[in-house]
Amino acid sequence: MDEKRKKQLRWQLPFLLLLIAGTIFIVRQQRQTPYQKNSGFVFGTVYNVTYQWPDDLQDEIEAELKKVDETFSMFNEQSLVSLLNRGDKPVMLTPMFLEVYDLATTVSNDTEGAFDITVGPLVNAWGFGFKNEQMPTRRQVDSLRQFIGMKLLSLDSEGMMLTKRDRRVTLDFSAIAKGYGSDVVARMLKKKGVENLMVEIGGEVVTQGISPNRMPWRIGVTKPTEDSLAASEGELQTVLNVTDRAMATSGNYRNFYYKGGRKYAHTIDPRTGYPVQHNILSATVLASSCATADAYATSFMVMGFEKAKELLDRHPELMAYFIYTDANGQLAVWYSPSLEVEK
């Protein structure tokens, strides 16, 4: 070995040793950093956040959730959506509202109207009908459909004001707000430098990095059942690897109706005004954002098995896990080939 090469090695060796020592220190520090766990109540459901960080960040988490609530809550009379629904005066839209409204519009167009943030009055009418065993009449459905449809909404040229062509149109972001709330909290944590996290609001999940047991995040999919006790005990259909992804599930697990000996979920098609008669009982979607997964999971419940698979073919970035009833009325599953499923 020539003298020049020896000199290079003498200079490089200390840097290499320093790099190794630094890496060991960082790994050791990461292992010693505790995982924080916060829970609470928001959007009419429970949230759970697990993240690796030296300090408890619950106050900051709840501050982010408050922003989402103040924008999209149907129960907060002063939320932006409540003000828009009342229509008492012009309301200036916020970046948060516009972000979700744009996504809702995109998904609505992509699903040919299967996703619709104005469908609330129909959902309520049918929900009360099933509960009271007195279904809405055709005349009532036709009357409600006059003010259902995102085509009745438009933004002004600056994109700061929303116009409703019919004052009776109401906005309901419940099929996307929980997923968006999970995204917002995850964004805040990532911005602070958190690398390992799991945010879950009412079953809508965002993950990054590794879990407290140093393994990939694995999230269960609940098995549809009419047994409320079994559901409350969390009977699982499967467990999915959801590392560095978002996941949302749509499906009313204990709310079915029967027709022709087959079971259907109580899902209203905003395009017809009537309950769907598709065989999907639960649609779980994995995507880059939880709001996206949430919106498409709802859409797939409306679209049905075959149409949903056609859309998935157009969107390789989406993955799905469907629980449905087969021709014999038995539970069956289908999932995207690229999805990691626990057998």
Side-chain angles (χ1 to χ4, degrees):
M1 183 181 294
D2 60 36
E3 192 62 29
K4 184 177 180 181
R5 181 61 176 159
K6 287 180 180 178
K7 285 183 179 180
Q8 286 179 334
L9 286 174
R10 281 198 295 271
W11 278 103
Q12 290 172 353
L13 187 58
F15 286 110
L16 181 60
L17 291 173
L18 185 62
L19 179 63
I20 292 172
T23 302
I24 292 172
F25 175 77
I26 291 171
V27 170
R28 184 174 295 169
Q29 284 293 102
Q30 187 183 53
R31 285 184 176 274
Q32 292 175 347
T33 302
Y35 274 81
Q36 310 288 342
K37 295 187 178 182
N38 300 138
S39 298
F41 195 73
V42 69
F43 313 148
T45 188
V46 175
Y47 75 81
N48 295 283
V49 186
T50 301
Y51 52 98
Q52 190 178 30
W53 197 248
D55 307 311
D56 187 304
L57 301 175
Q58 184 158 17
D59 287 347
E60 293 175 63
I61 288 169
E62 295 206 338
E64 294 300 305
L65 292 174
K66 184 179 179 183
K67 294 176 188 175
V68 180
D69 182 82
E70 289 175 344
T71 303
F72 299 109
S73 174
M74 299 284 288
F75 305 103
N76 179 348
E77 292 185 358
Q78 296 307 310
S79 74
L80 192 151
V81 163
S82 292
L83 295 176
L84 287 169
N85 285 342
R86 284 204 298 274
D88 299 332
K89 57 184 178 180
V91 180
M92 189 70 70
L93 304 180
T94 64
M96 180 174 282
F97 178 91
L98 290 169
E99 180 184 4
V100 179
Y101 179 82
D102 286 347
L103 176 59
T105 301
T106 297
V107 176
S108 181
N109 292 336
D110 194 35
T111 60
E112 299 179 342
F115 184 80
D116 195 318
I117 56 174
T118 71
V119 74
L122 279 169
V123 172
N124 291 337
W126 282 101
F128 291 128
F130 281 115
K131 186 175 181 180
N132 300 323
E133 297 184 354
Q134 187 173 353
M135 306 305 165
T137 64
R138 176 175 290 277
R139 177 175 291 182
Q140 289 171 324
V141 170
D142 289 343
S143 176
L144 290 172
R145 287 185 64 201
Q146 293 179 53
F147 51 95
I148 304 295
M150 291 191 66
K151 63 183 181 299
L152 300 174
L153 301 171
S154 61
L155 296 174
D156 67 4
S157 56
E158 277 106 38
M160 296 306 296
M161 304 289 286
L162 185 73
T163 299
K164 298 188 291 185
R165 297 183 195 173
D166 189 313
R167 286 179 56 85
R168 296 171 296 174
V169 175
T170 58
L171 304 176
D172 184 347
F173 287 84
S174 59
I176 196 171
K178 287 187 296 182
Y180 182 69
S182 295
D183 288 329
V184 167
V185 172
R187 279 184 212 165
M188 181 275 291
L189 293 174
K190 293 174 187 178
K191 190 174 181 180
K192 289 190 71 70
V194 177
E195 295 181 357
N196 302 312
L197 61 92
M198 187 278 293
V199 181
E200 181 260 332
I201 302 176
E204 321 302 26
V205 181
V206 178
T207 71
Q208 178 176 283
I210 55 176
S211 66
N213 61 8
R214 319 301 301 176
M215 298 290 288
W217 295 99
R218 296 162 65 250
I219 309 296
V221 176
T222 304
K223 184 176 183 178
T225 175
E226 291 166 283
D227 183 343
S228 60
L229 179 61
S232 65
E233 291 175 349
E235 185 178 355
L236 299 181
Q237 179 74 36
T238 190
V239 177
L240 305 180
N241 182 340
V242 194
T243 296
D244 298 328
R245 296 188 183 107
M247 179 183 112
T249 298
S250 182
N252 202 333
Y253 302 120
R254 296 183 301 279
N255 206 357
F256 306 112
Y257 70 98
Y258 288 86
K259 186 172 182 177
R262 299 186 67 181
K263 182 191 293 184
Y264 301 95
H266 284 179
T267 302
I268 308 304
D269 189 335
R271 301 165 298 186
T272 66
Y274 287 86
V276 299
Q277 292 185 27
H278 301 310
N279 53 352
I280 296 181
L281 299 179
S282 167
T284 296
V285 176
L286 282 78
S288 58
S289 81
C290 202
T292 299
D294 207 358
Y296 277 107
T298 300
S299 302
F300 291 160
M301 292 296 295
V302 174
M303 297 168 69
F305 192 41
E306 297 303 327
K307 288 289 186 181
K309 287 201 294 181
E310 289 176 13
L311 187 144
L312 287 166
D313 287 340
R314 302 201 312 268
H315 289 282
E317 77 279 9
L318 300 177
M319 293 183 288
Y321 185 98
F322 297 141
I323 305 173
Y324 64 97
T325 52
D326 64 18
N328 297 317
Q330 301 299 309
L331 283 186
V333 300
W334 178 94
Y335 53 87
S336 300
S338 56
L339 190 57
E340 297 178 47
V341 177
E342 184 177 278
K343 302 294 186 180

